[in-house]
Amino acid sequence: MERRDFLAAGATLLIPGRLTQRSPEAPPAGAAGVRIDIFSKHLLWLRGADQVAEAAVAMGFSGVNVTVRPGLMGHVEPARVAGDLPPFVRALRARGLQVRSLTAPILDVDSPHADAILRTAAALDIRSYWWGTFRYGAERPVPEQLAALRPRVAALAALNARYGVCAMYHTYNGNAVGASIWDMLSILREFDPSQVGFHYDTGHMATEGAAGSWATNLKVIGPYLRGVSVKDYGWQRGVDGEWQRQAVPLGEGVVKLREFGAILREQRFAGPLELQAEYPLGGAEDGRTTLTIPQDQVFAALARDRETLSRALI
């Protein structure tokens, strides 16, 4: 199956014997040398690693960010990470896919199974994982809340140093620590960026600072830019007349992909970078285990987003 045929007509993927076995063709990486991974949350309806690998390869992705989350929220159960993650990763890598990052429910060293997850990741040479996110409360002044985070970050940085991994703090908009970048950066800069850094979310940061602060914040991170998550949002009025954020396919919202790609090149960023798609995709956008639309449509939409992002990174 050629990629142009896949994009034009969709593909009857994951039905035994119907998917051509081939190695993934690395998409254009651009001057930054960035390859694009797929967030496995969008493929939770494909429970097996072989099926996930086939889909990622057919859509042209270079790798997979693997979800290690409890219940039906991830491909690997945190309580069974030591036994289940290695064969899952081996199956992906056997198809030529890179696995450089995980998404796991780790907030600090006391998070359930944090030590086991990081120990297993390090043994598999997975050096980055999605971390966070902290929210501001109304009960104390902001400076006090930030001060209280420092010892928690210090303990996590020490655990990361033990295993040679980096926690990538995911940036959300709204009432989240790190929405303005500067607050969380004031804490992270006290530690080695190989241990703690940012996981910059293009959609959240563009809606938080659409007039241009998203770009300033991306630039100011410097060596603490450890990972990137790419998605896009637009705006629409709700039934109450209030403006609401609306997830859209890449290139149809407020994220300025060309400018974003240029900054990554300036920063000499080389990944990990994964695509997220939060617009309606029959449940795939929410990490559901069943779809309400044909799988062909999901694959085609994700492949189009990957192509759009690839062009922006050149």
Side-chain angles (χ1 to χ4, degrees), residues 11-296:
T12 310
L13 295 178
L14 288 310
I15 297 175
R18 297 296 297 274
L19 181 63
T20 301
Q21 300 295 310
R22 65 181 179 86
S23 297
E25 174 188 338
V34 180
R35 292 188 175 184
I36 303 169
D37 299 338
I38 180 63
F39 188 25
S40 87
K41 168 186 173 180
H42 302 315
L43 302 175
L44 285 182
W45 47 280
L46 304 174
R47 299 305 297 178
D50 289 336
Q51 290 187 347
V52 172
E54 289 179 8
V57 168
M59 290 184 289
F61 288 97
S62 293
V64 179
N65 174 292
V66 179
T67 47
V68 180
R69 288 172 164 174
L72 299 178
M73 296 173 61
H75 279 106
V76 175
E77 176 69 43
R80 298 194 299 269
V81 67
D84 291 356
L85 184 60
F88 195 96
V89 171
R90 284 196 294 268
L92 298 178
R93 288 175 173 167
R95 294 298 307 277
L97 294 162
Q98 63 182 10
V99 183
R100 295 194 290 171
S101 61
L102 300 176
T103 296
I106 296 177
L107 196 60
D108 53 32
V109 295
D110 296 322
S111 297
H113 313 293
D115 189 276
I117 292 171
L118 300 187
R119 181 173 63 251
T120 305
L124 294 168
D125 197 30
I126 300 172
R127 299 297 169 184
S128 302
Y129 67 96
W130 182 327
W131 164 41
T133 297
F134 300 107
R135 306 283 176 173
Y136 287 114
E139 70 284 354
R140 288 188 295 170
V142 166
E144 289 185 13
Q145 295 183 59
L146 291 176
L149 285 179
R150 282 183 168 81
R152 299 173 68 180
V153 175
L156 187 61
L159 181 62
N160 292 336
R162 181 191 310 170
Y163 291 119
V165 298
C166 181
M168 306 183 299
Y169 184 79
H170 193 75
T171 59
Y172 283 98
N173 70 338
N175 193 41
V177 177
S180 64
I181 289 294
W182 306 88
D183 50 358
M184 194 62 178
L185 182 60
S186 71
I187 297 175
L188 296 187
R189 70 195 322 167
E190 300 176 11
F191 304 96
D192 191 323
S194 68
Q195 298 163 9
V196 290
F198 282 102
H199 190 234
Y200 186 97
D201 185 299
T202 62
H204 285 286
M205 300 309 289
T207 53
E208 183 72 21
S213 65
W214 71 267
T216 301
N217 289 338
L218 181 57
K219 293 175 181 178
V220 78
I221 291 172
Y224 290 91
L225 178 61
R226 306 302 298 182
V228 172
S229 176
V230 181
K231 62 171 72 86
D232 206 348
Y233 292 116
W235 295 95
Q236 67 174 16
R237 285 192 184 276
V239 293
D240 58 359
E242 296 291 329
W243 286 100
Q244 299 175 348
R245 193 178 64 181
Q246 178 70 38
V248 296
L250 281 189
E252 297 183 13
V254 299
V255 175
K256 298 180 179 179
L257 289 173
R258 287 289 184 185
E259 185 176 349
F260 163 71
I263 295 173
L264 290 190
R265 290 191 290 275
E266 292 173 5
Q267 300 282 67
R268 299 181 181 274
F269 178 77
L273 175 150
E274 85 272 357
L275 173 73
Q276 290 192 33
E278 296 188 349
Y279 55 91
L281 279 176
E285 74 280 10
D286 295 324
R288 297 179 190 172
T289 57
T290 57
L291 296 178
T292 60
I293 64 174
Q295 62 181 18
D296 301 6

